[in-house]
Amino acid sequence: MSHHYSGPNIGFPRGDARLDFTDLYAFPSPADASRSVLIMNVHPAFSLLPPGPTTPEPFAADAIYEFKIDTNGDAVADIAYRVCVSVFANGKQTAVLRRVEGAQAAETGNEGRLVEEWPVSMDREAIVVEAEDHRFFAGWRSDPFFFDPIGAINDFDFSGKDNFIDKDVCSIVLELPRSALGAKPFGVWARTVDRANGTWIQADRGAKPSQAIFLPGDARDDYLASEPAGDSRFIPIFAHSLEHTGGYAPVDALRLAATLLPDILHFDPALPASYPDNGRALTDDVLDHFLSLLTNGKVKSDGVGPHRDLLAEFPYLGPPHMAAAERFNAHEALHGGSDARKD
């Protein structure tokens, strides 16, 4: 539940699992320290309430999946990488990557310099593409996130069962030279944007794990639709939640809330990744860190650890647990085969 199920009632934003942003990772390439890796995970393959598989269609065709890069510390994007996908047909999709710089990077739209177009990986084989010294992947992978969300729902009574150990997620993996991002420390966040009635609407966003789930309270929709540059207005709301969950004194809750916003992941590509100090590695136990903050040290761990199916090479995430045919069959079994293939 890093950002898993960030919509209302442990659901999905705008009721669409494909728009649900789950996790953001930033770390140096294990093979070449002069390169950085950004991973945006979206669309959990399994919903929690009610339990069941989501759609086999990986990404929404009327959406933008975007990395926002702040190179000067003002919480406004100076570089953006935008991924859009084709309509899902005959069990296939195609992804397009564009890069945007300058003032346009802070705006919303599917414009930008075309870097590459490539097939979305629907099955266990990872389709990897390289262009302009960038490496890309988009498609189903094993979810690297580890947590016991059932224990969190039950007043932090953890059983040590990792709900995500056998689950899949849709991943966008980008590996690029550090120089493409300025070669200096930068801030990064991810977002999904949906086109509704001809207007772009931000559906989900974030960088730091879990706070979009536990801390905005009744302001969650407003928070998910906002930009990091305006996050200071949510400090009192976060502080109120921290007072409730952790028993913090008001002044201490405000001080802690201010450290959590703006919701940007800071990363120095010259240093190893280690959350919360620098980026986020795939094995960082971010929920143990967050639980300790949330409960003021009363709960320090959910008792689960990193997954063992991670890869040493690109795209770094393990193969999906379900093959394409299994995913379609599971969806058809639940929904009667009404629109699983769209072909």
Side-chain angles (χ1 to χ4, degrees), residues 128-212:
V128 177
V129 174
E130 297 189 37
E132 299 186 19
D133 214 14
H134 289 51
R135 185 176 291 175
F136 322 101
F137 169 87
W140 289 105
R141 296 310 278 173
S142 172
D143 194 342
F145 182 60
F146 49 98
F147 186 48
D148 174 11
I150 304 301
I153 295 172
N154 294 323
D155 296 324
F156 304 115
D157 182 15
F158 294 109
S159 65
K161 181 180 179 180
D162 182 359
N163 187 69
F164 302 92
I165 191 68
D166 58 352
K167 302 299 190 299
D168 295 333
V169 73
C170 289
S171 301
I172 296 171
V173 187
L174 175 61
E175 183 174 303
L176 66 172
R178 281 163 37 182
S179 58
L181 302 175
K184 296 179 180 179
F186 60 86
V188 57
W189 67 99
R191 67 172 186 160
T192 62
V193 185
D194 183 36
R195 186 189 289 274
N197 299 320
T199 302
W200 291 112
I201 297 177
Q202 183 170 286
D204 203 353
R205 61 103 175 190
K208 298 177 182 177
S210 298
Q211 58 191 43

Side-chain angles (χ1 to χ4, degrees), residues 1-12 20-25 41 44 46-49 143-156 158 161-165 167 169 204-205 207-216 220 224 280 285-288 290-291 294 302 304 307:
M1 199 182 292
S2 185
H3 282 82
H4 292 71
Y5 325 120
S6 51
N9 301 318
I10 318 182
F12 299 114
D20 191 72
F21 162 66
T22 69
D23 289 282
L24 175 67
Y25 302 87
N41 285 340
F46 197 86
S47 64
L48 190 62
L49 295 176
D143 194 342
F145 182 60
F146 49 98
F147 186 48
D148 174 11
I150 304 301
I153 295 172
N154 294 323
D155 296 324
F156 304 115
F158 294 109
K161 181 180 179 180
D162 182 359
N163 187 69
F164 302 92
I165 191 68
K167 302 299 190 299
V169 73
D204 203 353
R205 61 103 175 190
K208 298 177 182 177
S210 298
Q211 58 191 43
I213 301 293
F214 290 97
L215 297 178
R220 179 181 295 175
L224 294 180
R280 178 182 175 187
D285 201 332
V286 296
L287 260 296
D288 279 5
F290 183 74
L291 286 171
L294 186 67
D302 64 339
V304 300
H307 296 171

Side-chain angles (χ1 to χ4, degrees), residues 45-262:
F46 197 86
S47 64
L48 190 62
L49 295 176
T54 59
T55 174
E57 177 179 343
F59 303 100
D62 293 326
I64 301 171
Y65 300 86
E66 192 168 28
F67 294 104
K68 293 280 198 179
I69 313 294
D70 169 26
T71 61
N72 59 11
D74 63 357
V76 176
D78 304 291
I79 301 169
Y81 282 95
R82 295 170 176 165
V83 175
C84 299
V85 300
S86 66
V87 173
F88 185 70
N90 300 317
K92 298 179 181 180
Q93 278 186 314
T94 300
V96 174
L97 177 74
R98 290 184 170 88
R99 176 182 166 105
V100 188
E101 301 178 22
Q104 287 186 325
E107 299 173 355
T108 298
N110 56 0
E111 302 84 4
R113 178 174 61 84
L114 177 64
V115 180
E116 187 56 278
E117 180 175 357
W118 74 104
V120 170
S121 294
M122 301 297 301
D123 221 322
R124 291 196 168 105
E125 179 184 2
I127 302 174
V128 177
V129 174
E130 297 189 37
E132 299 186 19
D133 214 14
H134 289 51
R135 185 176 291 175
F136 322 101
F137 169 87
W140 289 105
R141 296 310 278 173
S142 172
D143 194 342
F145 182 60
F146 49 98
F147 186 48
D148 174 11
I150 304 301
I153 295 172
N154 294 323
D155 296 324
F156 304 115
D157 182 15
F158 294 109
S159 65
K161 181 180 179 180
D162 182 359
N163 187 69
F164 302 92
I165 191 68
D166 58 352
K167 302 299 190 299
D168 295 333
V169 73
C170 289
S171 301
I172 296 171
V173 187
L174 175 61
E175 183 174 303
L176 66 172
R178 281 163 37 182
S179 58
L181 302 175
K184 296 179 180 179
F186 60 86
V188 57
W189 67 99
R191 67 172 186 160
T192 62
V193 185
D194 183 36
R195 186 189 289 274
N197 299 320
T199 302
W200 291 112
I201 297 177
Q202 183 170 286
D204 203 353
R205 61 103 175 190
K208 298 177 182 177
S210 298
Q211 58 191 43
I213 301 293
F214 290 97
L215 297 178
D218 293 338
R220 179 181 295 175
D221 288 348
D222 189 16
Y223 179 77
L224 294 180
S226 299
E227 299 285 346
D231 275 352
S232 59
R233 65 192 177 97
F234 295 103
I235 290 176
I237 297 171
F238 274 35
H240 178 75
S241 295
L242 290 167
E243 289 180 50
H244 175 72
T245 59
Y248 287 92
V251 63
D252 294 328
L254 282 168
R255 185 181 302 113
L256 177 56
T259 69
L260 300 176
L261 297 168

